[in-house]
Amino acid sequence: QPEGESCAVRWLCYSALLRESNPPARAAAGERHSLFIDGEGRLSSCGNAPDHVPGLLGHGEGVARLNTPTRLPSTLGGERAVSVSAGDGHSLALTADGAVFAWGEGERARLGHGEDL
């Protein structure tokens, strides 16, 4: 039985994924969000982003909560995602051609964009 709000949201995410026709090939879980790659290399996310981490879910700064896995609008440069990682307030995706995409909280330059956002 899930305990706490973030655990309950994560439970809803996983149970929704198990019912999909194209279940995830890879998954990563942060403190408040989860990321998934399906068999075709497309990313989905769900969870609850705190106010100080806009964009954590990868759906833009206006989306702070997703109770079910939702495909990210970004195409990752048209490449398939092959690996994904979820930190406390940020996420990383690696594409088949070796490109790395980062989003979420950029404090202490953790996104690798060369600045402290």
Side-chain angles (χ1 to χ4, degrees):
Q1 170 110 2
E3 292 182 22
E5 182 180 338
S6 63
C7 186
V9 169
R10 187 166 289 137
W11 178 256
L12 288 170
C13 292
Y14 294 149
S15 63
L17 280 170
L18 293 175
R19 291 188 299 268
E20 284 193 7
S21 60
N22 189 6
R26 297 192 186 272
E31 181 178 349
R32 297 175 179 256
H33 72 299
S34 298
L35 301 167
F36 310 93
I37 303 173
D38 69 15
E40 297 177 24
R42 298 176 299 200
L43 288 173
S44 295
S45 71
C46 62
N48 186 16
D51 291 339
H52 68 280
V53 189
L56 174 64
L57 301 177
H59 295 269
E61 293 185 7
V63 179
R65 183 182 180 110
L66 294 168
N67 288 337
T68 59
T70 305
R71 188 159 300 135
L72 269 66
S74 170
T75 61
L76 300 179
E79 290 293 319
R80 296 179 62 231
V82 295
S83 185
V84 68
S85 179
D88 179 29
H90 68 292
S91 301
L92 300 168
L94 175 68
T95 65
D97 71 349
V100 176
F101 290 80
W103 62 94
E105 183 179 23
E107 185 179 65
R108 294 185 299 274
R110 73 177 82 193
L111 297 180
H113 296 168
E115 55 191 57
D116 190 16
L117 300 174

